[in-house]
Amino acid sequence: MKNSNTVQNHINDIVRKGTNKGEPSRPYIDTDGTTLLLDEIMNAASPVKDSVLSNVLRWDVEGVFRGSKGTWELVIDKSTNTIVHFNFVN
């Protein structure tokens, strides 16, 4: 699976404040564990059609990142096998 330019552009984002200041904000993108994380998100719930983009599937799955509970947001264009959105929000 490949990343869209939008997802790829967030790889170097840095946390600007708080406990994790100075650390990558989305270290789960493009790492050795990314495939496992994607599999876990996709297996945790059935996808729904995205409300904004056509021909894509969306998963919103409860989870934990850096000790905080929140939601994993994953949007994939299955026709091109491209991740168009990948984020954790709490």
Side-chain angles (χ1 to χ4, degrees), residues 40-54:
E40 288 183 0
I41 291 169
M42 289 187 281
N43 288 326
S46 296
V48 296
K49 289 184 179 182
D50 188 72
S51 62
V52 178
L53 302 170
S54 60

Side-chain angles (χ1 to χ4, degrees), residues 18-53:
T19 307
N20 297 303
K21 182 179 179 180
E23 294 182 25
S25 62
R26 300 183 193 190
Y28 46 83
I29 299 174
D30 234 10
T31 65
D32 290 339
T34 299
T35 301
L36 177 60
L37 177 58
L38 293 173
D39 287 344
E40 288 183 0
I41 291 169
M42 289 187 281
N43 288 326
S46 296
V48 296
K49 289 184 179 182
D50 188 72
S51 62
V52 178
L53 302 170

